Amino acid sequence: MTINRPGLPGDLPSAEVLWARWALIAVLEATTADEQAGPHRTGTWVDDEGLHLDDSGCTWWGFAQRGEGRYVLFGEDESSGAKWHEPPVDMLAGAPDWLPHERLRDLLSGWELGCVYWYENGTWARAPYPATLEDDGLDCGISRFVERKEVLWTIGDEDHGTMPEHDAETLLGHAEGYRLTPEILMSLVTEPDWRELDRPAMSKALERAGLNRA
């Protein structure tokens, strides 16, 4: 799957699949120390507000459930031209009332938002864009979770214990099927050379992410 520039709603997998992939990376990277970092946290994580990505540089994103079958994806990559476009792009045009409008408008007023997508009834949507908008940042920001091969590469890289390809595929399959238990998780993950796995934090993140519906 390839993301256009600017992104199109059809570029994204279902919200449930996107959630599972993003959440799995958050689980693998969870540490107690990071949980205590407060508002200055970076990396990929899950908390009571949803999923987050922040590289403390050019990209940050949030992904939240807003009730049964409803999700909102919002954030910014430096590649987005939406907030600088003339005339201004109304990123909330046509948005449903169940979005966190107050939060999003605060971000818009602070020039901190690059795009907003929402998901309901199995379909993604966003505000209409002018033909002159070249990029909204979705590709650079979110392709790491949209492209399944990139997710597998991340799971199996040296930061996550150089997991064998078969185990990475198995782990991702359990996550996408929402049948990932702590026992399955711990049986497949391996310890990276440069850090110890924080298994209590990983188990807590797994519970928060809701990747086991069995």
Side-chain angles (χ1 to χ4, degrees):
M1 179 176 286
T2 300
I3 297 181
N4 289 277
R5 295 187 181 184
L8 297 171
D11 294 337
L12 295 166
S14 72
E16 292 81 7
V17 168
L18 183 63
W19 181 276
R21 295 173 181 176
W22 191 332
L24 178 56
I25 302 304
V27 168
L28 293 175
E29 297 183 358
T31 69
T32 302
D34 284 343
E35 286 182 359
Q36 298 170 347
H40 304 295
R41 186 169 182 175
T42 60
T44 306
W45 72 97
V46 59
D47 60 19
D48 293 337
E49 294 182 354
L51 292 168
H52 306 268
L53 166 68
D54 192 328
D55 71 354
S56 192
C58 65
T59 196
W60 72 267
W61 297 84
F63 188 25
Q65 299 183 35
R66 301 290 293 180
E68 185 67 29
R70 292 174 171 175
Y71 295 78
V72 58
L73 169 67
F74 59 97
E76 180 185 20
D77 185 89
E78 65 179 0
S79 62
S80 175
K83 68 181 181 181
W84 310 116
H85 190 273
E86 291 294 342
V89 177
D90 183 357
M91 299 180 212
L92 297 179
D97 58 9
W98 51 263
L99 292 190
H101 282 269
E102 184 175 354
R103 166 68 170 150
L104 295 172
R105 293 204 178 279
D106 282 346
L107 291 167
L108 282 168
S109 65
W111 300 90
E112 299 176 79
L113 195 59
C115 65
V116 182
Y117 287 72
W118 53 89
Y119 184 89
E120 186 175 21
N121 298 322
T123 302
W124 284 102
R126 61 156 170 77
Y129 290 162
T132 49
L133 179 65
E134 296 182 355
D135 197 352
D136 67 352
L138 186 71
D139 182 23
C140 290
I142 299 299
S143 62
R144 71 195 74 192
F145 305 126
V146 169
E147 299 288 349
R148 197 171 192 272
K149 62 182 179 180
E150 288 199 32
V151 180
L152 287 169
W153 181 86
T154 300
I155 294 170
D157 69 14
E158 62 183 12
D159 287 345
H160 303 95
T162 317
M163 186 180 297
E165 182 178 349
H166 177 269
D167 288 350
E169 180 66 55
T170 300
L171 186 59
L172 182 55
H174 280 292
E176 291 177 336
Y178 285 82
R179 55 180 185 271
L180 183 59
T181 64
E183 293 75 20
I184 293 173
L185 174 68
M186 298 309 170
S187 73
L188 292 170
V189 296
T190 52
E191 198 106 297
D193 293 336
W194 58 279
R195 70 177 175 93
E196 293 184 4
L197 293 176
D198 190 333
R199 287 174 171 78
M202 293 169 67
S203 295
K204 183 178 179 180
L206 179 60
E207 181 178 357
R208 277 177 164 170
L211 291 181
N212 180 23
R213 298 177 181 174

